[in-house]
Amino acid sequence: MAHSEIDAIRALLGSKPRPVGWSERRQRLDEVGSTWPVAPDVQCEVVDCDGVAGEWSIVPASGKSRVLLYFHGGGYCSGSIVSHRRLVTEAGRDAGTRTLAIDYRRAPEHPYPAAHEDALTAWRFLRNQGIPAASIAIGGDSAGGNLTLGLINRLRAAGEPLPACAWLISPWTDLTMSGSTLATKDAIDPLIHKAYLAELADAYVPPSIDRRDPLISPLFADLTGFPPVLIQVGSAETLLADATRFAEAAGAADVDVTLQIWPHMIHAWPVWNANLQDGRRALAYAGQFIRTHIR
C-alpha cells in the first residue's frame, strides 16, 4: 500500500515537465500541493501579521490558546499558504492547536534576510496577542525548517523566551550543499537535486554572505539550549544528510531531538497526506510530539 501510494505521488509530480521560470515554478508547486483541498470542517481566516501575510486555521476540536506557527517550504523561492494548506490544517488537527501559516517574502525578489525578518515579525505578532512562548510550537518543511531554526537562533541570541518545541520536515540545513546524500540519493529523489539547490541558494543568499553563517546554514550553529526538536525525513531524499547531520549536532549539544527516517518517502511527503497514509501517520506523530511539549 505504502509503495503504491508514494508511486502515485511520484506520478503526479512527474506528470508535467519541470518548470523553469520563478512564476512557473510557484504556480506548479501551488498546483501539486493543493491537489486535495482542506477538510470541510476546517475554518481558515486571512490575517495581517503586522505587515506579513498569514492565515489562521482551526478545526472544531482544537483549542485557540495554543498555536502551531508554520513556515512553508519551496527553497525560499516558491511555496505558499496555498501549496501547504492541507498539510498545515491537518497538522493543527493532530496537534490540537490552531495554526498560523506565514507567506513570507520570497527570493529572488526578496533575498536574505527578508524571509527571516518576516518569521520574526510573525513570532512577535503572536506574542503581542498575549500568547505565551510555551504555548507556541513552530515548524516548517525544507526551507521552512531552516527558517524555524533561524528564528530560534535569533530569539535565543536576544535572550527571549523560546517556543515549546520545533518540528522539521525534510529540513534544508546546509546551504553549502556538502551532504553526501546529494550524490547517493540523486537517482531516486524526484524533486531535489544539487544543481537545483545551488540555483535556489544563489537566488536567496547575496554573494557577500558566507553560507556557513548559522542563520543561513543552521547545521553550523551552536544549538545549546534549543527546545525539543522532531525531525522527519524520507529515505529517498537527497537532503537526508541535512537531517541526519543536524540531528547529530543537536544531540551532541544536549538537545532533546527525535529523528525519524521514513522508508521510501520523498521530500516533504506529508504535503500529500490526503492520499498518502504515511503522510497522515507522520502528521499524527508530529501532533503527539507537539501535544507533549506545548502548554
Side-chain angles (χ1 to χ4, degrees):
M1 175 67 75
H3 277 273
S4 62
E5 289 182 343
I6 196 61
D7 286 345
I9 301 302
R10 283 177 173 270
L12 170 68
L13 296 171
S15 61
K16 294 181 181 179
R18 184 184 289 266
V20 177
W22 297 119
S23 61
E24 291 81 6
R25 288 174 177 175
R26 292 166 183 169
Q27 181 179 354
R28 178 60 175 157
L29 185 50
D30 281 357
E31 178 186 324
V32 298
S34 60
T35 300
W36 291 277
V38 299
D41 63 340
V42 175
Q43 295 181 347
C44 295
E45 177 186 347
V46 174
V47 59
D48 179 351
C49 304
D50 295 333
V52 177
E55 182 177 87
W56 288 114
S57 78
I58 194 167
V59 298
S62 295
K64 290 188 175 182
S65 62
R66 301 184 299 174
V67 176
L68 168 62
L69 175 63
Y70 196 87
F71 305 110
H72 66 76
Y76 290 111
C77 297
S78 60
S80 69
I81 288 173
V82 172
S83 63
H84 285 65
R85 186 174 280 138
R86 175 80 192 200
L87 183 158
V88 175
T89 56
E90 289 304 305
R93 183 194 305 278
D94 285 317
T97 68
R98 58 176 170 159
T99 67
L100 180 60
I102 299 301
D103 250 344
Y104 52 85
R105 288 170 291 172
R106 297 174 298 192
E109 298 92 336
H110 303 284
Y112 175 86
H116 285 266
E117 296 296 339
D118 289 352
L120 184 59
T121 297
W123 170 265
R124 295 260 164 84
F125 168 80
L126 282 178
R127 299 288 282 117
N128 289 337
Q129 303 294 306
I131 302 172
S135 297
I136 304 171
I138 61 174
D141 61 287
S142 196
N146 188 310
L147 276 181
T148 296
L149 297 170
L151 175 58
I152 295 172
N153 255 324
R154 295 185 72 172
L155 294 173
R156 186 190 54 176
E160 298 185 26
L162 301 181
C165 57
W167 169 39
L168 312 176
I169 304 172
S170 307
W172 188 16
T173 66
D174 176 17
L175 271 69
T176 72
M177 272 82 78
S178 64
S180 62
T181 51
L182 286 172
T184 60
K185 297 291 183 176
D186 183 75
I188 62 171
D189 190 325
L191 286 172
I192 307 298
H193 304 282
K194 190 170 185 176
Y196 176 58
L197 285 177
E199 184 181 1
L200 296 175
D202 286 345
Y204 172 60
V205 184
S208 60
I209 297 179
D210 181 359
R211 292 183 185 175
R212 288 181 61 92
D213 183 313
L215 288 179
I216 301 294
S217 297
L219 176 64
F220 306 113
D222 174 9
L223 304 176
T224 304
F226 264 53
V229 178
L230 169 64
I231 305 170
Q232 296 178 313
V233 65
S235 68
E237 296 198 47
T238 54
L239 286 179
L240 176 59
D242 276 47
T244 57
R245 289 182 299 158
F246 183 84
E248 181 180 10
D254 296 317
V255 177
D256 180 355
V257 60
T258 301
L259 170 67
Q260 295 183 334
I261 303 174
W262 288 71
H264 312 294
M265 291 301 106
I266 64 174
H267 189 69
W269 76 98
V271 166
W272 299 283
N273 64 84
N275 215 38
L276 185 60
Q277 183 179 20
D278 277 352
R280 295 190 294 275
R281 289 178 56 229
L283 292 185
Y285 194 97
Q288 186 56 50
F289 170 81
I290 291 170
R291 287 174 184 265
T292 297
H293 294 289
I294 203 169
R295 295 201 296 271

